[in-house]
Amino acid sequence: MDNNFFSEETAVILGLGELRVGTCPMGTIGLGSCVALILHDRRRSLAGLAHIMLPESRGSADRPGKFADTAVSALLEEMERAGGMKFATTAIVVGGASMFEFSASALNIGERNTAAVKGLLLERGIKIEHEETGGRVGRSVYYWPEGKGRLIIKRADGTCVEI
């Protein structure tokens, strides 16, 4: 990855449960069972990113980016305020790994996070343009909203993919 293109001076790195909308490069690191949801309006080179930790808020309003059910709505609202249009918005979904072999399927937060995000996007008519979810490997994502968008996924196993 070219550090001049994605540098600390220009990149916004989101932590657990945070979300951001803008035209600047953004990313999030250390996704295990968490899901990175990226919404992108190519017409405006505008993107939103949320680092989602859990599938449902159950009424909690502490951080909308923390839960799938609140993050999807919050990102769409923020993008609309920034001039984005829902009909021109597509999604990228990354993460949702099953990090522990002994984890019972009922407790698999990664699968539940992924299913919740995908279901909410379907309900709102947002097309998933790219998805890399599941497995047993953690990931970090970096996204540049300019033009068609540029995505880099770094996996904890040392592999890296650019889209």
Side-chain angles (χ1 to χ4, degrees):
M1 181 168 57
D2 181 354
N3 287 331
N4 293 326
F5 191 63
F6 192 90
S7 65
E8 288 182 42
E9 294 83 39
T10 60
V12 175
I13 303 298
L14 281 73
L16 293 167
E18 293 184 333
L19 64 80
R20 169 81 180 225
V21 170
T23 57
C24 66
M26 55 187 86
T28 191
I29 58 174
L31 295 167
S33 60
C34 294
V35 168
L37 170 60
I38 300 166
L39 297 181
H40 185 207
D41 179 339
R42 287 184 181 175
R43 291 179 337 51
R44 304 234 185 247
S45 294
L46 178 70
L49 171 65
H51 185 135
I52 298 168
M53 298 171 62
L54 295 167
E56 51 194 31
S57 61
R58 297 190 177 136
S60 176
D62 67 337
R63 286 181 289 174
K66 185 176 181 179
F67 306 100
D69 61 348
T70 53
V72 172
S73 297
L75 278 179
L76 285 169
E77 288 169 17
E78 293 271 335
M79 287 189 63
E80 190 174 300
R81 274 196 290 274
M85 299 289 208
K86 187 174 128 180
F87 75 86
T89 299
T90 58
I92 297 169
V93 182
V94 179
S98 177
M99 300 304 291
F100 306 103
E101 284 197 42
F102 59 83
S103 178
S105 61
L107 298 175
N108 190 336
I109 301 297
E111 281 181 19
R112 290 174 47 217
N113 282 340
T114 301
V117 168
K118 290 171 67 174
L120 291 160
L121 292 171
L122 181 66
E123 281 176 20
R124 287 162 176 79
I126 305 291
K127 178 186 170 219
I128 298 174
E129 186 177 322
H130 182 78
E131 176 183 354
E132 184 181 307
T133 58
R136 298 199 179 278
V137 175
R139 302 168 178 93
S140 295
V141 297
Y142 304 93
Y143 194 72
W144 294 261
E146 192 173 299
K148 292 182 179 179
R150 178 177 173 223
L151 173 70
I152 291 180
I153 302 170
K154 287 187 165 189
R155 300 180 191 110
D157 65 6
T159 60
C160 186
V161 64
E162 182 174 344
I163 297 162

